[in-house]
Amino acid sequence: MPESFAERYKKHRAEELHGHRLGNVIQDIVYGGNDGIVTTFAVVAGTMGAGLPRYIVIILGLANLLADGISMATGAYLSLRSERDQFKRIRREELEEIEDHPDLEREEIREFFSKKGFSGEDLERVTAVITKDKTVWADTMMHAEHGLTTESTDRPILHALMTFLSFQIFGIIPLLPYLFSPVPDQRFSVAVISTAIALALLGLTKSWVTKENLLRGPIEIVSVGAAGAFVAYGMGVLLKSTVGVAL
């Protein structure tokens, strides 16, 4: 017996045809993870380049994980809250303009959908439907005129939490050799390798969630991370040779 339309539609909605469930937070994962890896390795590379002892690496690395992780998370939260406040202000202004100048605002809707390919009766019909409800009208104006939607500033706590967790999970990896490795001469080499692996894993996560070429994410993130690590190590060596300290 063939499936009914309702059954097919339900199955269609259940499938992830239009993106991964983590798609809404992948920006936070990549942002937090990349910064965690690079800044922690910068501490490791900078202190090692300056020839400082292991305990300094551990202290500065753990301090960076906690302080910078919290800073990034609160920054993400405050940024989204600021965007939400701006969204509410602009939307309130749009509603006031709809009340005060409905003919001008209606023409803006007509112009927007005209650029989308509507014309003639279809254009007039969609304009009439949109402008019939002031809530829909204002939301459409927010998207058409300002490129803003309710979802773009939604759930700031979730985005802050994902940024913090990603920073901690990926950022601890370059520090692991100094926390657990019993062979001092191999710690930095292992840190370099583990950092490259962490960057590659972050890139694979990005490619997996965004459903792009699996090699593209690792190549992008490893390249950017390697550049930051090289600069950090070079600064450590430079400071050691000039002033004798890393920081």
Side-chain angles (χ1 to χ4, degrees):
M1 183 177 180
E3 290 183 317
S4 66
F5 175 79
E7 291 173 334
R8 290 191 294 112
Y9 179 72
K10 184 178 180 181
K11 184 181 295 186
H12 171 77
R13 292 286 295 174
E15 294 175 350
E16 293 180 349
L17 296 177
H18 307 292
H20 195 275
R21 293 176 183 176
L22 293 177
N24 292 332
V25 294
I26 187 58
Q27 179 179 354
D28 309 306
I29 294 173
V30 172
Y31 179 52
N34 184 73
D35 197 87
I37 296 168
V38 172
T39 57
T40 304
F41 185 77
V43 171
V44 172
T47 51
M48 287 304 298
L52 295 180
R54 173 196 179 199
Y55 73 90
I56 296 294
V57 178
I58 294 175
I59 291 172
L60 292 179
L62 292 176
N64 171 76
L65 274 176
L66 184 60
D68 204 9
I70 291 175
S71 175
M72 288 193 66
T74 54
Y77 174 79
L78 293 174
S79 176
L80 282 175
R81 283 298 302 267
S82 298
E83 288 184 25
R84 178 186 287 183
D85 292 341
Q86 182 187 33
F87 178 90
K88 290 180 179 179
R89 177 185 61 80
I90 295 176
R91 191 176 187 278
R92 185 167 57 250
E93 292 175 356
E94 286 293 346
L95 285 170
E96 291 175 356
E97 290 178 355
I98 289 172
E99 288 289 342
D100 297 338
H101 309 287
D103 54 336
L104 299 179
E105 294 298 305
R106 186 175 290 106
E107 185 59 30
E108 288 187 4
I109 291 291
R110 184 179 289 107
E111 182 181 1
F112 173 72
F113 282 100
S114 175
K115 292 179 179 178
K116 294 294 182 181
F118 288 83
S119 61
E121 293 183 1
D122 290 337
L123 177 60
E124 296 306 316
R125 187 179 298 110
V126 72
T127 301
V129 170
I130 295 295
T131 57
K132 184 178 181 180
D133 187 319
K134 292 181 180 179
T135 299
V136 176
W137 190 348
D139 289 339
T140 305
M141 289 299 302
M142 290 295 294
H143 172 66
E145 194 171 6
H146 307 286
L148 297 174
T149 62
T150 304
E151 293 78 10
S152 64
T153 60
D154 197 19
R155 298 181 292 181
I157 294 178
L158 173 63
H159 291 286
L161 179 61
M162 292 303 298
T163 300
F164 179 78
L165 290 177
S166 182
F167 189 98
Q168 301 302 308
I169 292 171
F170 287 99
I172 191 68
I173 295 176
L175 202 58
L176 292 178
Y178 292 87
L179 293 171
F180 302 109
S181 176
V183 184
D185 294 341
Q186 296 179 358
R187 286 174 186 147
F188 186 65
S189 298
V190 175
V192 171
I193 295 171
S194 62
T195 297
I197 293 173
L199 289 168
L201 287 174
L202 182 62
L204 282 173
T205 302
K206 174 179 176 290
S207 295
W208 175 57
V209 172
T210 58
K211 296 185 177 182
E212 62 184 16
N213 188 299
L214 286 180
L215 293 178
R216 179 180 174 184
I219 290 173
E220 287 180 346
I221 294 180
V222 170
S223 299
V224 174
F230 177 79
V231 171
Y233 186 77
M235 287 300 298
V237 173
L238 178 63
L239 289 172
K240 180 185 179 182
S241 63
T242 55
V243 297
V245 294
L247 296 174

